[in-house]
């Protein structure tokens, strides 16, 4: 088949749903059927396969780790922008202001330590917003041991994010003051300033598998990620995130999400903002 989309039977759709749930924890609803056909048909054409059954057979019996990654990349959705859900960044600024005033824990080199994790960072606008906004408000952070971890299961968006380059249209809707925090290349593109880029480490990460890093993080952004998981997976994810937070650290989630069974140990302090209760068990640094 040279063009067009492949027919998708109910059985094939069930196999695809089972496969992506197994490898990535993503729960596909029936409403995603058209998306599956559109995105995976491109892969089938490129591989010269005749059906979705053939594709799943390949993944199960002959596919490489990269083939599995391409499958997941095709089925993930990446919608983000700079300063999305601005109240979260305003709250983070207040939190960091308090940390600056009372000086947080220090690292091995004696410098004040600040760690933030953007889980499900997509093309990078979220962690870069954290970096540029905090550096703008608190220049002293340049002397801190300040790092931002940005992770996503989609390796394609991680690669794009790491460049720190975006179309100038990404600044639409931002105030002039915020837009001025980014460098203009003069070719219709903008770049995240070097000082902000240097704070962010982009890493591929599957949130349902083991995590190689350890906490504690002062703040974790995991927004509009859990909506792709079923309730049991969501509960396990939020519980694990809580164990990665510093004492009384904050977790920011999406506007359509809630912690559900993972809420134990947290208290709601604002719209989709949760704070780890004092004395909760955490991962060691």
């Amino acid at each position: 088949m040279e063009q067009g989309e492949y027919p998708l039977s109910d059985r094939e759709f069930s196999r695809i749903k089972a496969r992506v749930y197994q490898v990535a924890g993503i729960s596909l609803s029936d409403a995603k059927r058209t998306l599956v056909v559109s995105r995976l048909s491109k892969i089938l054409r490129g591989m010269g396969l005749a059906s979705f059954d053939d594709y799943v057979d390949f993944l199960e019996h002959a596919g490489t780790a990269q083939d599995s990654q391409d499958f997941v990349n095709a089925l993930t959705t990446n919608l983000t922008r700079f300063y999305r859900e601005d109240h979260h960044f305003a709250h983070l600024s207040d939190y960091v202001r308090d940390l600056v005033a009372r000086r947080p824990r220090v690292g091995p080199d004696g410098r004040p330590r600040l760690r933030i994790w953007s889980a499900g960072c997509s093309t990078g606008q979220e962690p870069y917003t954290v970096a540029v906004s905090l550096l703008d408000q608190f220049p002293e952070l340049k002397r801190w041991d300040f790092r931002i971890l940005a992770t996503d299961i989609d390796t394609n968006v991680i690669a794009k994010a790491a460049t720190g380059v975006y179309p100038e249209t990404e600044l639409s809707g931002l105030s002039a003051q915020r837009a001025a925090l980014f460098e203009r290349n003069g070719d219709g593109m903008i770049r995240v300033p070097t000082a902000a880029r240097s704070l962010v480490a982009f890493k591929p990460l599957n949130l349902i598998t083991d995590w190689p890093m350890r906490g504690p993080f002062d703040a974790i952004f995991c927004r509009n990620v859990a909506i792709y998981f079923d309730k049991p997976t969501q509960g396990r994810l939020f519980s694990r995130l809580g164990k990665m937070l510093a004492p009384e650290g904050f977790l920011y989630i999406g506007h359509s999400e809630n912690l559900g069974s993972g809420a134990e140990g947290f208290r709601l302090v604002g719209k989709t903002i949760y704070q780890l209760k004092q004395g909760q068990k955490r991962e060691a640094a």
Side-chain angles (χ1 to χ4, degrees), residues 85-267:
E85 296 184 52
D86 185 45
H87 65 286
H88 285 164
F89 301 106
H91 181 274
L92 178 66
S93 294
D94 289 340
Y95 176 42
V96 172
R97 183 174 293 106
D98 181 61
L99 291 178
V100 169
R102 59 184 171 88
R103 295 182 66 85
R105 66 190 182 281
V106 297
D109 61 0
R111 291 185 297 161
R113 183 181 186 275
L114 179 61
R115 291 290 186 273
I116 297 173
W117 178 14
S118 170
C121 67
S122 186
T123 45
Q125 288 90 329
E126 178 178 273
Y128 285 139
T129 298
V130 172
V132 298
S133 61
L134 290 185
L135 286 181
D136 178 59
Q137 296 173 79
F138 310 105
E140 59 266 54
L141 291 179
K142 294 178 181 179
R143 301 187 296 273
W144 285 34
D145 179 13
F146 175 26
R147 296 288 182 271
I148 301 169
L149 174 65
T151 66
D152 201 282
I153 194 172
D154 188 331
T155 54
N156 291 333
V157 298
I158 286 289
K160 175 178 174 57
T163 67
V165 177
Y166 300 90
E168 194 168 352
T169 53
E170 288 282 340
L171 300 182
S172 299
L174 298 187
S175 67
Q177 181 181 6
R178 287 178 171 174
L181 298 177
F182 300 86
E183 300 172 352
R184 286 173 168 79
N185 289 352
D187 56 358
M189 305 296 287
I190 62 168
R191 181 184 294 275
V192 178
T194 301
R197 291 202 316 273
S198 66
L199 295 177
V200 186
F202 290 96
K203 304 289 184 182
L205 182 70
N206 185 335
L207 287 173
I208 70 166
T209 62
D210 292 337
W211 299 344
M213 70 287 188
R214 299 176 67 84
F217 292 92
D218 298 280
I220 297 175
F221 287 75
C222 189
R223 308 187 302 174
N224 306 303
V225 175
I227 55 175
Y228 298 104
F229 300 147
D230 59 15
K231 293 299 183 182
T233 305
Q234 289 178 12
R236 290 191 295 270
L237 171 62
F238 289 131
S239 293
R240 293 178 71 190
L241 291 174
K243 294 178 181 179
M244 298 292 284
L245 278 170
E248 301 183 49
F250 290 96
L251 172 64
Y252 302 92
I253 65 174
H255 64 87
S256 61
E257 300 170 325
N258 63 78
L259 297 195
S261 63
E264 184 177 356
F266 287 97
R267 64 186 183 95

Side-chain angles (χ1 to χ4, degrees), residues 6 40 44 66 93 162 224:
Y6 288 66
L40 294 187
L44 266 65
Q66 185 59 54
S93 294
N224 306 303

